[in-house]
Amino acid sequence: MRKLHSKNSIFLMEIILNVLLFSVLLTIGLQFFVKAHRLTEKTTELHQAVSSCESAASVFQSGDGTLASLLETYHYSVNLHDRVVIYLDSSFNACPKKSAAYTITAALDRNGKRNSLSAVNLTCSTTEGMSLYSLRACHFPE
């Protein structure tokens, strides 16, 4: 009878150790997957910011070298003299200011105006002010 009791306690100790080991490995694995998910979200956000800035740069380059083409294309944009602010929602689509999650600020570069060359600095940022991506675009007159 004594041998049976000894085998049961060893078996119970083995199960407890297996559960503890499994719990530790599960915790480490979950942290790994959460970090991978966060990196994926940040990468997606950066990719969308780059695409949005490139789209705005293309609009500027195909225009007349002023910010008027941006104002015509992005209907919810705001003209602030030599700057245009374009409001984007969480899917990076143009939207009104009240539902904006991101902004693209297009500022004319007065130093870049040589030989009738127009330049604009585009910056995509969150509404909290964290800059995601910046781009400089030039308009070459024909």
Side-chain angles (χ1 to χ4, degrees):
M1 188 88 162
R2 200 157 173 94
K3 283 188 175 185
L4 184 62
H5 180 64
S6 176
K7 286 182 182 180
N8 285 340
S9 64
I10 291 175
F11 180 69
L12 182 61
M13 186 64 84
E14 186 179 336
I15 289 176
I16 291 172
L17 287 175
N18 284 337
V19 168
L20 286 174
L21 180 64
F22 179 74
S23 299
V24 169
L25 292 176
L26 182 66
T27 304
I28 292 170
L30 281 176
Q31 288 176 355
F32 191 70
F33 283 114
V34 167
K35 184 170 181 149
H37 179 70
R38 285 184 187 151
L39 285 174
T40 301
E41 285 179 341
K42 282 188 173 197
T43 302
T44 302
E45 183 181 51
L46 179 61
H47 174 71
Q48 292 287 352
V50 170
S51 296
S52 297
C53 280
E54 287 178 350
S55 294
S58 295
V59 169
F60 175 77
Q61 289 172 340
S62 65
D64 60 354
T66 64
L67 298 175
S69 55
L70 289 172
L71 289 168
E72 290 173 13
T73 304
Y74 297 98
H75 301 292
Y76 296 110
S77 57
V78 176
N79 187 4
L80 303 172
H81 185 56
D82 61 347
R83 274 188 317 152
V84 170
V85 179
I86 302 167
Y87 297 103
L88 306 172
D89 62 10
S90 59
S91 300
F92 285 86
N93 296 318
C95 71
K97 181 180 181 177
K98 63 182 177 184
S99 58
Y102 302 98
T103 60
I104 294 178
T105 304
L108 280 176
D109 185 3
R110 298 292 178 197
N111 296 332
K113 190 136 184 150
R114 295 182 198 112
N115 302 329
S116 68
L117 172 73
S118 297
V120 68
N121 294 317
L122 298 161
T123 303
C124 183
S125 57
T126 63
T127 52
E128 292 86 30
M130 185 179 84
S131 179
L132 299 174
Y133 184 73
S134 294
L135 173 69
R136 180 180 161 98
C138 296
H139 175 265
F140 299 100
E142 296 177 7

